[in-house]
Amino acid sequence: MSTAARSLARSLPRHLARRPAPLRASAPRPAPSIPAHTTSIRHGGTLPDRSASFTKPTEDHLKVIRGFLSSPTSLLSTIDGSASADDLAVYNDDWMNKYHGKGPIVVKPKTTEELSNVMKYCYDNNLAVVPQGGNTGLVGGSNPVHDEIILSTSNLNQIRSFDPVSGVLVADAGVILETADHYLAEQGFIFPLDLGAKGSCQIGGNVATNAGGLRLLRWGSLHGSVLGLEAVLPDGTIWNGLSTLRKDNTGFDLKQLFIGSEGTIGVITAISILCPRRPTAMNVAVFSLPSYEAVQKVFSEAKGSLGEILSAFEFWDKQSFSLVKHHMEEHLGGERKVFETEGEFYCLIETAGSNAEHDEEKLSNLLEHLMSNEMVLDGVLAQDQTQFSSLWSFRELLPEASGKAGSVYKYDLSVPVGKMYSLVERIRERLHQAGLLEGDGKKEGPIRAVIGYGHMGDGNLHINIVADKYKEEYEKVIEPYIYEIVAENNGSISAEHGLGVMKAPYIGYSKNDTSVEMMRKIKQIFDPKGLLNPYKYIV
Amino acid sequence: MSTAARSLARSLPRHLARRPAPLRASAPRPAPSIPAHTTSIRHGGTLPDRSASFTKPTEDHLKVIRGFLSSPTSLLSTIDGSASADDLAVYNDDWMNKYHGKGPIVVKPKTTEELSNVMKYCYDNNLAVVPQGGNTGLVGGSNPVHDEIILSTSNLNQIRSFDPVSGVLVADAGVILETADHYLAEQGFIFPLDLGAKGSCQIGGNVATNAGGLRLLRWGSLHGSVLGLEAVLPDGTIWNGLSTLRKDNTGFDLKQLFIGSEGTIGVITAISILCPRRPTAMNVAVFSLPSYEAVQKVFSEAKGSLGEILSAFEFWDKQSFSLVKHHMEEHLGGERKVFETEGEFYCLIETAGSNAEHDEEKLSNLLEHLMSNEMVLDGVLAQDQTQFSSLWSFRELLPEASGKAGSVYKYDLSVPVGKMYSLVERIRERLHQAGLLEGDGKKEGPIRAVIGYGHMGDGNLHINIVADKYKEEYEKVIEPYIYEIVAENNGSISAEHGLGVMKAPYIGYSKNDTSVEMMRKIKQIFDPKGLLNPYKYIV
């Protein structure tokens, strides 16, 4: 951090630079229990068996499917030798190399009609299909579990139209998020979603998984910004719901069912989305704070002072900061002394607006208020683009930093903001009681760190548990306990990553029987044969 | 308009105060046709017959239902003499006195459990039910068509909780919108929806009809802001989907189906909604413009310059302005000379932000830009709260002003912004060709005016056709022609009013067969007996 960026730290009154008071020990908590309404839950990580009702894909099927495609390169298969198993690995395996499908056929149609013909044939012949976008998911949702045909949207990659008056973009599902955003940037607009995986993920997949990302706080959920969809239903029917209208109250809003359906009721082939003007001014500041209560207070103050220009509010705990500082020092060298006074917690505030001068004034007023009222211990404000990225890196390097520190159990949870951090404390307490986490800091236990960080503005908490290795003993201490305490707090066991194959068995921790029953009925009317993305989501 | 409010008009360069060029005559258009995918459409305004499969409500039913209710005043009926037909008229008739139900029983449960018991009993006994909120709808959606039991949410009227950190409000369905907003105002927050009917409409009804309103441009659709719902399903099951989480990717987002379902798959009993901080600064300006193209350009400029503080962009045509000026002069006296130069069109721009000084500067910059670049003919900017209301009244008095001028055929349409105004021109042309609308301005025809106005920012157009009287001959010239030209433009025949009983037969103009078929299947899984709000929506 440069001298300029540290100006705020230096200007901090001395009496603020005190050692933060230790967190009060949590009161003893009742034993966790699964709510009465919870559905039965299948524990453990074993994958479901192959369904006997699905046809095994053969060379005959492959020939027919090839006939639907305008280009020979749109079909790759180990069956006819047009591809090796290695060629198909990038489709069968997820990017973390955690899930490994055995799909022998990859189809990449170039038009919605081609895709529709393939789907119709598969439906008529009981061939199971897994839709795949950029394959950047974290729950094994877009990889085959067994020998499902992989239907990739990669070749559906055209921008169809953009209207600069309404800000409505219509584009094929396979357009890469970053490509769409670059296209919009040239016209002064922004795609209302931003993700770490933006260089690889596809906008169709983003919608199918209801991606959240870094600036949901500002641009809202895709349920609000997506205006229409085109999708191919399991039986091959092309559903044209590609409205560009902002308001349309004529019947059930069907597109909403597809947003976050994870490819189980249809394959999204195009989207229509409302894009805001691109902010012309952006600022970022990071603070150290004495407690989680202080983080909440600052969040509230930031919403009040920054109002319409607040675009992100992220937080992380001192354990996170310690890991990321260590990681930076190892890789970039030199001691990282960022704050005169470090804290129990840190938060990052970003603004995005249309007038740099106004935004800076608003942010300065907030900083002054926070410091003069001793709501934060210390703070740094980025003075240029390099510092902007540098401050964001404390947050963005967290997954990498914890990955370097050991084998990481990752959880993506949603809980009411007020209760959010208590989950991290309870996990620590449980691991401590089990003798896995040393509490005195003098001796390293098998669990090296439990860190909590996330999108405070969205109530989205990431817990990373860094262990010396992956071990069933540790997992049993963590799961299903972690899902139980989420359920106790009426939270979500998957805030933004979805269910996929990983969390499908655990839906009962976040949804009651009535909900799951409704979902099963909806799946049934769209896909009575259960051919589309089987073994996942609602099982 | 006071002198202060007219300062902008006075400062307008003289050369701008020219007479606007006449609109170019539209090129001849092809004969309208219903798109091939359109479902069969039942024309005419006759109501559907009573379904023989529904049980007729009797005194025996009434006694059982009374047993479910904690208060004797929660049931009103003409059957047992606890109410007169007049007492029930406010429930049976809509507020415009256009729809007249014959429901003999009104039930107003005080708790979700009471409501659930009533629904279960009705379901088991094949008694049809119509849910009703504030009864402020425009399409007969909340009134009985025949003898359905009226289930009012008026007694479910408690705020359940509000969290000032997350901004999440949880409240009963029967809370009046204005009451909810006043409650939030005290805490510095705002309900993310504003409507003319806010003093009567209920938040449950708002969600059930996916209400749009005046500031959708700023706060977005309810599909984005509603976080959770509690609803009683047709068979009496209480569905608890009252999540307060901003992110939750665990299965289909079921609440989305209920938003805009118009009480056909369940009765919403409580909502959870994300509320923004209340803006502390608001401004409004009105401009006269030479053409619809100019309105579009100004809209684009306003989005660019005002960015995050633009909260409304409304427009109306000179015919609208003429009607409203006449109405004001008749009722308030004195000539209304607002603009030095009047225009073919007018637009209203509102800003809402967190810093008055910043907002005024942004707006001033925009005004200067618009005027120096001759993008507008003239403009007025409100200098105080009275002028703020006064400028809004040019827009808000339009429905009243047209009502005073004759019998009004009202249409609420959604079309892409670029094509919006051509619909008004085509309707005028058609009425002119039919000899109903005089074009030379010398003689008054039976159609006195065709005015176009609406929420430009949302692509939502209101067309009011002011006739000397309601006459089948006029209606036949207008309908279904108006729906046909909406369909030609991939528009919506109901932007925000919903389908109800009025537009249910016409859904095929806005939704294709595939969509309607999916909707029928969804209705079927929730309400296989078709008992809830029958004869409406999807028929």
Side-chain angles (χ1 to χ4, degrees), chain B residues 162-431:
Chain B
F162 178 69
D163 174 3
V165 174
S166 62
V168 177
L169 173 78
V170 179
D172 286 351
V175 171
I176 303 291
L177 175 57
E178 199 166 52
T179 307
D181 191 52
H182 283 168
Y183 171 87
L184 289 163
E186 282 168 19
Q187 325 224 11
F189 285 78
I190 188 169
F191 200 94
L193 174 74
D194 193 10
L195 286 185
K198 68 179 160 191
S200 312
C201 65
Q202 298 175 7
I203 57 175
N206 294 151
V207 173
T209 56
N210 189 30
L214 297 168
R215 292 183 185 94
L216 185 129
L217 173 67
R218 176 60 175 277
W219 306 125
S221 145
L222 291 173
H223 285 288
S225 52
V226 171
L227 299 182
L229 294 176
E230 177 191 86
V232 176
L233 305 185
D235 69 357
T237 302
I238 298 173
W239 173 58
N240 181 358
L242 208 51
S243 168
T244 55
L245 307 171
R246 186 144 186 196
K247 281 178 168 177
D248 176 20
N249 280 351
T250 55
F252 298 112
D253 195 352
L254 296 169
K255 68 172 179 288
Q256 302 290 353
L257 278 180
F258 290 83
I259 301 173
S261 64
E262 299 186 27
T264 59
I265 55 171
V267 180
I268 294 171
T269 49
I271 74 163
S272 159
I273 189 163
L274 186 68
C275 301
R277 288 280 177 146
R278 203 169 192 89
T280 49
M282 291 188 85
N283 293 293
V284 71
V286 174
F287 301 94
S288 59
L289 303 105
S291 64
Y292 185 67
E293 286 67 33
V295 182
Q296 290 183 71
K297 269 186 203 145
V298 171
F299 178 43
S300 186
E301 293 289 334
K303 287 202 292 185
S305 300
L306 302 174
E308 59 279 359
I309 63 166
L310 180 64
S311 57
F313 193 103
E314 301 281 315
F315 88 102
W316 55 95
D317 58 16
K318 68 172 177 186
Q319 292 83 350
S320 300
F321 191 62
S322 169
L323 272 186
V324 83
K325 267 209 307 182
H326 181 73
H327 179 65
M328 283 174 158
E329 283 162 8
E330 268 198 351
H331 290 78
L332 304 169
E335 201 199 341
R336 299 275 130 182
K337 179 76 179 162
V338 187
F339 300 96
E340 297 283 336
T341 309
E342 301 199 332
E344 293 287 320
F345 288 87
Y346 298 84
C347 71
L348 177 151
I349 298 177
E350 188 196 68
T351 65
S354 57
N355 185 310
E357 203 182 307
H358 293 168
D359 293 5
E360 277 156 27
E361 198 181 316
K362 286 190 180 88
L363 190 54
S364 299
N365 290 344
L366 172 67
L367 302 188
E368 208 177 300
H369 174 71
L370 295 180
M371 290 190 160
S372 62
N373 288 279
E374 304 182 14
M375 299 176 80
V376 296
L377 301 172
D378 200 354
V380 287
L381 175 67
Q383 304 293 322
D384 56 33
Q385 187 54 44
T386 309
Q387 290 175 15
F388 185 96
S389 306
S390 174
L391 286 183
W392 259 111
S393 69
F394 286 107
R395 167 65 185 81
E396 288 185 310
L397 285 176
L398 275 174
E400 190 177 320
S402 55
K404 296 282 178 186
S407 300
V408 187
Y409 293 94
K410 284 173 182 271
Y411 300 93
D412 161 44
L413 314 170
S414 209
V415 275
V417 168
K419 297 170 178 177
M420 197 190 267
Y421 200 72
S422 67
L423 268 68
V424 183
E425 291 166 341
R426 287 178 70 180
I427 289 291
R428 284 204 188 108
E429 195 177 314
R430 181 163 171 105
L431 290 164

Side-chain angles (χ1 to χ4, degrees), chain A residues 164-167 209-210 212-213 216-218 220 223-224 233 237-240 244-254 256-258 260-262 264-265 277 296 299-301 303-309 353-355 357-359 361-362 414-417 455 457-458 460 490-499 507 510-512 514-515 518-519 521-523 525-526 537-538, chain B residues 164-167 189 209-210 212-213 216-218 220 223-224 233 237-240 244-254 256-258 260-262 264-265 277 296 299-301 303-309 353-355 358-359 361-362 414-417 455 457-458 460 490-499 507 510-512 514-515 518-519 521-523 525-526 537-538:
Chain A
V165 174
S166 62
T209 56
N210 189 31
L216 184 129
L217 173 66
R218 176 61 175 275
H223 285 287
L233 304 185
T237 302
I238 298 173
W239 173 58
N240 181 357
T244 55
L245 307 172
R246 186 141 186 199
K247 280 178 169 178
D248 177 19
N249 279 352
T250 55
F252 298 112
D253 194 353
L254 294 170
Q256 302 291 353
L257 277 181
F258 290 84
S261 64
E262 301 185 27
T264 58
I265 56 172
R277 289 279 177 146
Q296 290 184 71
F299 178 43
S300 185
E301 293 289 335
K303 288 202 291 185
S305 300
L306 303 174
E308 58 280 359
I309 63 166
S354 58
N355 185 309
E357 205 182 304
H358 292 170
D359 294 5
E361 198 181 315
K362 285 189 181 88
S414 209
V415 275
V417 169
H455 316 294
D458 315 325
N460 185 179
N490 297 313
S492 170
I493 61 159
S494 187
E496 55 182 5
H497 296 171
L499 293 168
I507 189 172
S510 285
K511 292 291 156 71
N512 55 37
T514 308
S515 298
M518 283 191 222
M519 292 182 197
K521 285 180 179 169
I522 287 167
K523 167 73 176 174
I525 58 177
F526 282 90
Y537 200 62
I538 313 301
Chain B
V165 174
S166 62
F189 285 78
T209 56
N210 189 30
L216 185 129
L217 173 67
R218 176 60 175 277
H223 285 288
L233 305 185
T237 302
I238 298 173
W239 173 58
N240 181 358
T244 55
L245 307 171
R246 186 144 186 196
K247 281 178 168 177
D248 176 20
N249 280 351
T250 55
F252 298 112
D253 195 352
L254 296 169
Q256 302 290 353
L257 278 180
F258 290 83
S261 64
E262 299 186 27
T264 59
I265 55 171
R277 288 280 177 146
Q296 290 183 71
F299 178 43
S300 186
E301 293 289 334
K303 287 202 292 185
S305 300
L306 302 174
E308 59 279 359
I309 63 166
S354 57
N355 185 310
H358 293 168
D359 293 5
E361 198 181 316
K362 286 190 180 88
S414 209
V415 275
V417 168
H455 317 294
D458 316 326
N460 184 179
N490 297 313
S492 170
I493 61 159
S494 188
E496 55 181 5
H497 296 170
L499 293 169
I507 189 173
S510 286
K511 292 290 158 69
N512 56 37
T514 307
S515 297
M518 282 192 224
M519 291 182 197
K521 285 181 179 169
I522 288 166
K523 167 73 176 173
I525 58 177
F526 282 90
Y537 200 63
I538 313 301

Side-chain angles (χ1 to χ4, degrees), chain A residues 379-525:
Chain A
V380 287
L381 173 68
Q383 303 294 323
D384 56 33
Q385 188 53 45
T386 309
Q387 288 174 16
F388 185 96
S389 306
S390 174
L391 285 184
W392 259 111
S393 69
F394 286 108
R395 166 66 184 84
E396 289 186 311
L397 285 176
L398 274 174
E400 191 177 319
S402 55
K404 296 282 178 184
S407 300
V408 187
Y409 293 94
K410 283 171 184 272
Y411 300 93
D412 161 44
L413 314 170
S414 209
V415 275
V417 169
K419 297 170 179 177
M420 196 189 265
Y421 200 71
S422 68
L423 268 68
V424 183
E425 292 166 340
R426 287 178 67 179
I427 290 291
R428 282 202 190 111
E429 194 178 313
R430 181 161 171 106
L431 289 164
H432 181 67
Q433 280 170 356
L436 299 173
L437 180 69
E438 296 302 324
D440 57 6
K442 288 177 194 149
K443 201 183 89 184
E444 190 171 82
I447 302 295
R448 294 171 180 166
V450 176
I451 69 171
Y453 62 97
H455 316 294
M456 175 89 176
D458 315 325
N460 185 179
L461 172 70
H462 295 293
I463 300 184
N464 284 8
I465 301 173
V466 186
D468 56 351
K469 58 188 157 189
Y470 290 117
K471 205 172 164 187
E472 209 183 329
E473 179 202 342
Y474 308 159
E475 195 175 315
K476 280 189 175 161
V477 175
I478 306 166
E479 295 179 34
Y481 178 75
I482 194 162
Y483 296 128
E484 286 167 9
I485 58 178
V486 167
E488 251 182 76
N489 286 290
N490 297 313
S492 170
I493 61 159
S494 187
E496 55 182 5
H497 296 171
L499 293 168
V501 68
M502 176 189 173
K503 294 183 187 169
Y506 304 107
I507 189 172
Y509 283 106
S510 285
K511 292 291 156 71
N512 55 37
D513 283 346
T514 308
S515 298
V516 174
E517 187 54 29
M518 283 191 222
M519 292 182 197
R520 286 213 178 92
K521 285 180 179 169
I522 287 167
K523 167 73 176 174
Q524 178 71 19
I525 58 177

